[in-house]
């Protein structure tokens, strides 16, 4: 059974379609990345999963239960960190953490102390004095201090410094070891590449790409730098070759993953002196989609 | 920086631009309110007999505590009466204006990081504070002129030009004083909330100290800015020195705040923030507990406030018969009935007013849920094992329970003052019955607020409008001879007027049933709509 199962999910705000038929499956023990440009619909999706927004159409299930109707039951095993953590200015961080943990019904004192120490938070300060990063830490500590089966995290590291980001990643890995599932929305690709097993890319309310990192990499282009004894002829007529550039006697270009084999076969007769290839990154894919030519992929 | 006041003119313009609605609203409401009252008051007491009785009433300590010492009572002119009635209240209003406008442009801007943005431009370190104080000084000068000419233009013989301007200057200088004071607190504390807290505490303390001073120790009244300003004796002695003394103190306060501003870091203060609790108390473990905790200060303040309100209404009960007999207009506001004394007829009206005022905190407690949602804090709870029903239920419950508590406090306040001032005590029984009879109307207000939160969270302001409407029809209904259907539109119009009318269980149950329907409908709406956060 999938932990999260989203089918044909559509959300309209008035006439504006924020989500347009989204599908997504998160399996048990998976760390699932959810990436996309600003306003793509990430937060909207997560809020529907939490039962705070009601879907216009389609189905959103967690643990096999309806995200809207069975919200309370589902939430006993879910930990959530919102993208914008707004806290009560006149409560202290410690009070908020305790409140959050109690409202889920579990209580793990030693975990709480450990987390406060690791994240380097002063729990005796009023929330109004906390910086954005510190407010985020409060939400993260409350999330990790509870024994949830599913973590729903909306850009959880957007305010954290690199040191804290590392600690965050540690706890995510720990959660994975414990067999827990994570849905992580993010803008930070290196983080997604480091942590996630699967990724969905959302743009303008539609999922335009999803799959394991390997599968996605397959869709990306490899950058090549080649020197040959004889000049390569009509490279530009080859399928899957992009952005050809010649400097001195070196050629730079990009190759679609699926055409790599053909291209190498084609150029090797010209006598390769030097060949360098840069691995495909999620960033290339991401940028390509961000720029708006995602439809062709 | 070497030019601490660089670009100050630009900064002032920017402040005026940001407040181009807010400032006129403040100034005009205060001015129009003052002038309207000045216009009405002389018509209420026309014969010299009535004036003499008013002058007598003004010697009542309860009145002195509220309004300050009477003056010119031997020949109680319209001007003297109006100034005595109104000066301290309008001064409180300008004080509040000074506090609110100053906090907004000093500590609040600093807390929100806006001053940091401004300071990154070629603007001097002391410019924001100075610009704020200059702006408020200008505002109060304008207010002085409007009120001065406005009062004078009414053409009452006893309201001469000098007196009218002195009245304007008296309230204006209080506005400046409290702006300067708030500017100082903005340097001392590290956040806008406690700046507001310190300033309002000072304002209330100044009012109370003045009250004690006016009765017992006059020196206390001279220390309090609100007491000092009453020594102007507008329209009788026309003393200007209190205005200048207050202005002098304001300049000192401002100089001190400039100095503190110049030696501190941006964002820092001088009163260190106390470390708070590291762990949550057991109260803080449910949505209800959280809601009570968040509104703790407000709940305590309103509970005490309703008692004080009861006391202040109670304190006039003693003089009521004489007071009302001569005041034709006020008498018209009461329901007609030959079998009951004026005091008894007044009780009903009083309880209705107190119930409507008591509905203010009740509504505040319930509508807090909406502001929590707006600030995206309800999602924290709903994302955990908290149902929407238990969330909205907590706020509804607080509202429903708060109603009888505020009623109890008003009655106790009335009672404890009445013991001192009344010869023929109204029976406690009548008071309690009347307070109880009003409860369902207050609950209807709760029901309405819940309904709006459920379906139209952006229009919760309608519940205030409805409460205001109720106040209007109940308060002015008899006097303006409004048709019955107008007061029937308000739940308060359906409350039996005890002791003249019988306590009606049926009416009470009908109102309670309507409340229940409103609440259930509100819950349904809340469960079916999108939440903002
Ligand atoms: N309550 C609302 N009413 C109207 N439009 C909304 C509402 N909430 C979100 N939207 C719109 O829906 C779209 C998706 O918003 P969403 O917050 O899900 O984006 P996001 O992917 O989380 O973006 P970001 O990366 O900036 O956080 C945006 O265009 C946003 O303006
Ligand atoms: Mg978002």
């Amino acid at each position: 059974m999938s932990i999260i199962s989203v089918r044909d999910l559509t959300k309209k705000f008035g006439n504006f379609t924020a989500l347009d038929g989204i599908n997504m499956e998160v399996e048990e023990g998976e760390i699932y990345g959810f990436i996309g440009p600003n306003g793509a619909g990430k937060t909207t999706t997560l809020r529907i999963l939490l039962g705070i927004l009601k879907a216009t159409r389609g189905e959103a299930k967690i643990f096999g239960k309806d995200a809207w109707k069975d919200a309370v039951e589902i939430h006993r095993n879910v930990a959530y960190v919102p993208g914008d953590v707004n806290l009560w200015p006149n409560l202290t961080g410690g009070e908020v953490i305790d409140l959050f943990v109690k409202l889920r019904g579990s209580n793990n004192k030693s975990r709480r102390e450990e987390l406060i120490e690791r994240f380097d938070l002063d729990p005796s300060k009023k929330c109004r004095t906390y910086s954005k990063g510190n407010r985020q830490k409060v939400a993260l500590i409350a999330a990790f201090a509870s024994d949830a089966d599913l973590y729903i995290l909306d850009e959880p590291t957007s305010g954290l410094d690199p040191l804290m980001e590392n600690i965050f990643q540690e706890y995510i890995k720990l959660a994975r070891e414990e067999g827990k599932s994570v849905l992580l929305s993010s803008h930070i690709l290196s983080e997604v590449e480091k942590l996630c097993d699967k990724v969905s890319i959302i743009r303008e309310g539609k999922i335009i790409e999803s799959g394991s990192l390997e599968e996605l990499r397959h869709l990306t282009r490899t950058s090549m730098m080649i020197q040959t004894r004889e000049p390569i002829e009509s490279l530009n007529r080859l399928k899957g070759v992009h952005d050809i550039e010649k400097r001195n006697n070196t050629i730079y270009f990009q190759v679609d993953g699926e055409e790599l084999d053909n291209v190498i076969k084609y150029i090797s007769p010209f006598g390769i002196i030097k060949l360098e290839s840069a691995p495909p990154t999620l960033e290339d894919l991401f940028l390509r989609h961000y720029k708006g030519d995602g439809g062709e992929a | 920086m070497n030019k601490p006041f660089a670009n100050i003119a630009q900064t002032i313009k920017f402040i005026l631009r940001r407040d181009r609605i807010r400032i006129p609203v403040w100034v005009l409401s205060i001015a129009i309110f003052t002038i309207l009252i000045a216009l009405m008051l002389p018509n209420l007491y026309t014969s010299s007999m009535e004036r003499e009785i008013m002058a007598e009433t003004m010697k009542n300590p309860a009145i002195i505590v509220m309004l300050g010492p009477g003056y010119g009572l031997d020949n109680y002119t319209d001007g003297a009466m109006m100034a005595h009635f109104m000066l301290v209240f309008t001064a409180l209003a300008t004080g509040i204006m000074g506090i609110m406008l100053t906090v907004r442009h000093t500590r609040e801007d600093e807390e929100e990081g806006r001053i940091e943005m401004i300071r990154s431009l070629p603007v001097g370190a002391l410019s924001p504070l100075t610009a704020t104080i200059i702006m408020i000084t200008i505002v109060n000068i304008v207010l002085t002129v409007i009120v001065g000419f406005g009062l004078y233009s009414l053409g009452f013989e006893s309201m001469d030009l000098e007196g009218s301007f002195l009245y304007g200057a008296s309230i204006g200088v209080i506005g400046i004083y409290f702006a300067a004071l708030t500017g100082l607190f903005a340097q001392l504390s590290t956040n806008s909330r406690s700046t507001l807290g310190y300033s309002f505490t000072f304002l209330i303390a100044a009012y109370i100290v003045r009250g004690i001073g006016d009765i017992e120790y006059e020196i206390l009244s001279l220390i309090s800015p609100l007491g000092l300003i009453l020594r102007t004796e507008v329209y009788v002695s026309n003393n200007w020195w209190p205005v200048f003394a207050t202005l002098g103190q304001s300049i000192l306060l401002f100089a001190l705040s400039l100095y503190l501003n110049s030696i501190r870091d941006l964002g820092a203060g001088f009163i260190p923030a106390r470390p708070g609790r590291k762990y949550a108390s057991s109260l803080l473990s449910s949505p209800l507990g959280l809601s009570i905790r968040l509104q703790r200060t407000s709940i305590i303040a309103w509970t005490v406030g309703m008692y004080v309100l009861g006391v202040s209404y109670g304190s006039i009960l003693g003089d009521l018969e004489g007071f009302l007999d001569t005041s034709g207009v006020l008498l018209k506001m009461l329901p007609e009935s030959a079998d009951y004394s004026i005091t008894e007829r007044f009780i009903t009206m009083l309880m209705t007013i107190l119930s409507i005022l008591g509905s203010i905190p009740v509504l505040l407690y319930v509508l807090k849920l909406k502001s929590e949602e707006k600030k995206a804090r309800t999602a924290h709870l709903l994302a955990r094992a908290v149902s929407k029903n238990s969330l909205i239920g907590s706020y509804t419950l607080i509202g429903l329970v708060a109603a009888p508590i505020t009623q109890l406090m008003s009655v106790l306040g009335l009672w404890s003052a009445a013991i001192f001032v009344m010869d023929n005590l109204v029976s406690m029984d009548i008071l309690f019955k009347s307070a109880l009879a009003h409860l369902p109307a207050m609950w209807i207000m709760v029901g309405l607020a819940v309904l709006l939160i459920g379906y139209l969270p952006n229009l919760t302001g309608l519940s205030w409008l409805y409460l205001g409407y109720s106040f209007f029809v109940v308060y002015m209904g008899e006097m303006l001879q409004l048709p019955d259907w107008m007061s029937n539109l308000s739940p308060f119009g359906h409350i039996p007027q005890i002791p003249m009318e019988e306590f009606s269980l049926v009416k009470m149950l009908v109102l309670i049933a309507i409340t229940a329907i409103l609440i259930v409908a509100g819950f349904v709406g809340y469960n079916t709509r999108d939440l903002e956060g």
Side-chain angles (χ1 to χ4, degrees):
Chain A
M1 183 192 70
S2 308
I3 294 288
I4 296 179
S5 150
V6 170
R7 298 242 165 78
D8 190 31
L9 188 66
T10 301
K11 176 69 192 174
K12 293 189 175 167
F13 294 111
N15 296 329
F16 176 75
T17 307
L19 295 180
D20 190 1
I22 282 193
N23 293 295
M24 181 164 48
E25 301 285 325
V26 179
E27 304 298 330
E28 188 165 355
E30 233 169 35
I31 306 207
Y32 200 103
F34 197 36
I35 55 181
N38 292 127
K42 302 182 291 295
T43 302
T44 306
T45 309
L46 300 192
R47 286 184 161 187
I48 291 176
L49 284 172
L50 282 165
I52 294 169
L53 297 181
K54 191 172 186 176
T56 312
R57 201 179 64 229
E59 161 184 292
K61 288 191 166 174
I62 297 183
F63 309 134
K65 293 175 192 140
D66 187 273
W68 176 262
K69 288 197 207 108
D70 306 320
V72 177
E73 223 173 302
I74 292 171
H75 295 173
R76 289 189 211 284
N77 296 307
V78 171
Y80 167 62
V81 175
D84 261 326
V85 184
N86 291 302
L87 300 174
W88 298 273
N90 46 347
L91 299 186
T92 65
E95 285 178 308
V96 171
I97 293 170
D98 284 353
L99 172 73
F100 283 179
V101 171
K102 276 184 199 155
L103 287 180
R104 275 204 55 254
S106 62
N107 204 351
N108 191 336
K109 271 269 155 62
S110 60
R111 191 77 185 270
R112 174 195 192 270
E113 300 308 320
E114 175 203 312
L115 281 157
I116 286 179
E117 194 161 313
R118 291 296 313 274
F119 277 105
D120 193 23
L121 181 83
D122 179 351
S124 67
K125 277 193 173 164
K126 299 266 177 179
C127 292
R128 85 164 62 82
T129 65
Y130 282 147
S131 63
K132 176 173 164 48
N134 278 333
R135 290 199 303 270
Q136 203 119 28
K137 286 184 199 170
V138 170
L140 283 170
I141 292 171
F144 288 127
S146 48
D147 292 315
D149 293 332
L150 170 66
Y151 293 84
I152 297 182
L153 313 172
D154 193 357
E155 293 177 41
T157 54
S158 58
L160 298 186
D161 62 42
L163 206 67
M164 291 303 140
E165 223 177 292
N166 272 337
I167 294 173
F168 164 77
Q169 289 172 5
E170 245 176 67
Y171 277 99
I172 289 291
K173 282 175 190 155
L174 197 70
R176 189 213 315 257
E177 280 162 28
E178 291 168 356
K180 301 183 167 172
S181 322
V182 180
L183 176 58
L184 171 85
S185 106
S186 180
H187 285 147
I188 304 172
L189 292 156
S190 57
E191 181 175 278
V192 174
E193 281 189 307
K194 235 184 270 177
L195 294 173
C196 297
D197 310 309
K198 272 196 186 162
V199 177
S200 272
I201 300 179
I202 181 172
R203 189 167 153 258
E204 290 173 2
K206 291 197 176 104
I207 302 266
I208 46 177
E209 216 63 87
S210 70
S212 71
L213 273 183
E214 287 314 305
E215 285 164 354
L216 287 186
R217 285 220 174 89
H218 191 67
L219 294 174
T220 62
R221 296 165 180 172
T222 307
S223 308
M224 309 280 279
M225 187 209 86
I226 288 185
Q227 284 178 15
T228 44
R229 250 183 310 250
E230 294 157 37
I232 306 174
E233 283 155 31
S234 50
L235 183 64
N236 54 354
R237 272 196 259 133
L238 231 58
K239 200 170 151 230
V241 175
H242 307 268
D243 304 336
I244 304 168
E245 212 179 301
K246 276 184 197 162
R247 256 179 269 147
N248 305 328
N249 48 358
T250 311
I251 305 178
Y252 300 83
F253 60 92
Q254 300 200 333
V255 190
D256 285 345
E258 60 265 43
E259 294 297 325
L260 194 57
D261 192 35
N262 288 336
V263 173
I264 297 290
K265 277 184 190 142
Y266 177 79
I267 53 177
S268 54
F270 296 96
I272 298 175
I273 303 171
K274 194 173 170 190
L275 185 150
E276 280 177 23
S277 78
T281 64
L282 209 48
E283 188 156 349
D284 288 332
L285 180 68
F286 203 55
L287 284 179
R288 209 152 29 109
H289 285 314
Y290 269 28
K291 275 190 231 138
D293 61 350
E296 67 175 33
Chain B
M1 224 197 276
N2 289 332
K3 288 186 188 159
F5 298 105
N7 256 325
I8 192 153
Q10 215 48 44
T11 315
I12 295 174
K13 266 193 219 156
F14 182 57
I15 291 177
L16 289 174
R17 171 72 179 69
R18 279 178 63 197
D19 282 356
R20 68 192 189 285
I21 309 266
R22 195 175 296 253
I23 290 174
V25 167
W26 268 112
V27 169
L28 290 180
S29 356
I30 293 177
I32 291 173
F33 178 68
T34 310
I35 293 166
L36 274 185
I37 296 284
L39 196 60
M40 270 175 51
L41 212 52
N43 294 327
L44 293 181
Y45 310 97
T46 38
S47 74
S48 61
M49 214 348 233
E50 287 172 357
R51 280 158 199 279
E52 263 168 47
I53 291 175
M54 268 308 277
E56 270 314 299
T57 307
M58 291 305 159
K59 290 176 188 157
N60 178 336
I63 299 283
I64 295 179
V65 167
M66 255 168 59
L67 302 177
Y71 56 88
L73 296 177
D74 306 335
N75 172 24
Y76 209 34
T77 62
D78 292 336
M81 189 158 61
M82 179 268 164
H84 181 214
F85 243 86
M86 293 297 301
L87 186 57
V88 86
F89 288 124
T90 30
L92 277 171
T94 53
I96 293 171
M97 170 178 81
I99 292 173
M100 303 293 277
L101 290 179
T102 309
V103 170
R104 197 173 134 73
H105 293 287
T106 54
R107 190 46 86 167
E108 191 178 316
D109 267 0
E110 189 164 339
E111 192 173 59
E112 302 284 333
R114 290 191 282 260
I115 290 204
E116 188 169 341
M117 294 279 296
I118 301 272
R119 286 270 304 274
S120 69
L121 305 168
V123 169
L126 301 180
S127 293
L129 175 62
T130 314
T132 307
I133 299 296
I134 291 179
M135 177 274 291
I136 290 171
T137 307
I138 296 171
V139 167
N140 279 292
I141 290 173
V142 172
L143 179 69
T144 300
V145 172
I146 295 179
V147 169
F149 275 121
L151 289 178
Y152 177 63
S153 69
L154 295 179
F156 293 114
E157 194 188 337
S158 54
M159 298 193 189
D160 56 355
L161 189 61
E162 185 189 356
S164 298
F165 261 85
L166 180 57
Y167 188 97
S170 299
I171 62 174
V173 80
I174 290 292
I176 296 172
Y177 178 92
F178 278 95
L181 184 83
T182 308
L184 180 62
F185 284 134
Q187 309 311 312
L188 295 177
S189 96
T190 50
N191 62 72
S192 59
R193 241 180 88 104
S194 46
T195 306
L196 269 183
Y198 292 130
S199 305
F200 273 107
T201 309
F202 193 98
L203 183 76
I204 293 165
Y207 183 73
I208 292 173
V209 165
R210 178 210 58 76
I212 299 170
D214 285 346
I215 290 203
E216 278 289 340
Y217 313 98
E218 199 181 348
I219 181 74
L220 287 180
S221 298
L222 298 179
I223 294 171
S224 159
L226 292 174
L228 187 61
I229 210 67
L230 287 180
R231 270 59 193 169
T232 47
E233 305 202 342
V234 174
Y235 294 128
V236 176
S237 324
N238 281 346
N239 301 322
W240 282 87
W241 62 265
V243 172
F244 295 118
T246 309
L247 194 62
Q249 290 178 34
S250 313
I251 293 171
L252 287 181
L253 288 171
F254 177 52
L256 183 58
S257 60
L258 275 185
Y259 170 69
L260 293 178
N261 196 173
S262 70
I263 59 170
R264 74 179 175 89
D265 289 340
L266 189 67
F270 293 92
I271 303 173
R274 280 174 290 130
R277 287 165 165 274
K278 278 193 178 153
Y279 299 94
S281 66
S282 52
L283 173 68
L284 205 56
S285 60
S286 65
L288 181 64
L290 173 68
S291 173
I292 292 176
R293 171 63 206 280
L294 291 176
Q295 308 190 75
R296 189 174 58 188
T297 318
S298 159
I299 290 174
I300 294 172
W302 274 103
T303 309
V304 175
M306 286 314 293
Y307 178 79
V308 172
L309 206 62
V311 169
S312 39
Y313 273 109
S315 63
I316 59 171
L317 285 178
D319 295 309
L320 206 60
E321 304 266 332
F323 185 64
L324 287 179
D325 264 340
T326 54
S327 158
V329 177
L330 282 178
L331 207 54
K332 273 192 211 122
M333 294 170 70
L334 295 179
E336 276 168 48
S337 174
D339 300 342
Y340 293 90
S341 71
I342 289 180
T343 314
E344 279 170 331
R345 285 155 66 190
F346 190 63
I347 291 287
T348 306
M349 164 124 169
L350 205 56
M351 271 326 297
T352 307
I353 293 172
L354 284 171
S355 311
I356 292 178
L357 293 177
S359 302
I360 295 176
V362 170
L363 274 181
L364 282 175
Y365 303 152
V366 178
L367 293 177
K368 172 80 172 166
L369 176 58
K370 179 222 167 183
S371 73
E372 284 291 293
E373 182 183 343
K374 278 265 175 284
K375 289 173 186 157
R377 295 185 200 134
T378 55
H380 290 304
L381 309 185
L382 294 173
R384 297 185 164 77
V386 171
S387 69
K388 288 171 190 164
N389 279 337
S390 76
L391 187 57
I392 190 171
S394 305
Y395 286 86
T396 310
L397 185 68
I398 293 179
L400 291 177
V401 172
I405 293 178
T406 53
Q407 288 297 75
L408 182 67
M409 294 316 280
S410 330
V411 168
L412 286 180
L414 269 180
W415 178 254
S416 39
I419 290 175
F420 286 104
V421 297
M422 286 180 79
D423 307 327
N424 305 326
L425 218 53
V426 192
S427 82
M428 188 75 166
D429 192 42
I430 293 181
L431 289 179
F432 264 118
K433 259 199 196 143
S434 181
L436 191 67
H438 280 90
L439 269 183
M442 298 172 82
W443 283 334
I444 291 244
M445 297 310 298
V446 172
L448 178 66
V450 172
L451 184 76
L452 288 168
I453 292 175
Y455 290 100
L456 301 166
N458 290 324
L459 296 180
T460 47
L462 287 180
S463 49
W464 294 115
L465 206 64
Y466 191 48
L467 189 66
Y469 172 80
S470 299
F471 190 75
F472 175 75
V473 291
V474 169
Y475 205 65
M476 311 295 275
E478 301 270 353
M479 194 165 78
L480 301 178
Q481 312 216 312
L482 297 175
D484 277 350
W485 62 264
M486 283 193 70
S487 68
N488 283 343
L489 284 181
S490 158
F492 291 93
H494 294 277
I495 302 300
Q497 306 188 322
I498 293 169
M500 275 95 67
E501 292 173 19
E502 278 297 307
F503 184 86
S504 157
L505 193 63
V506 176
K507 269 190 183 174
M508 194 154 170
L509 289 179
V510 169
L511 290 176
I512 290 177
I514 295 175
T515 306
I517 292 170
L518 292 173
I519 289 177
V520 169
F523 275 46
V524 170
Y526 192 68
N527 271 290
T528 42
R529 74 169 170 89
D530 284 350
L531 300 180
E532 274 184 39

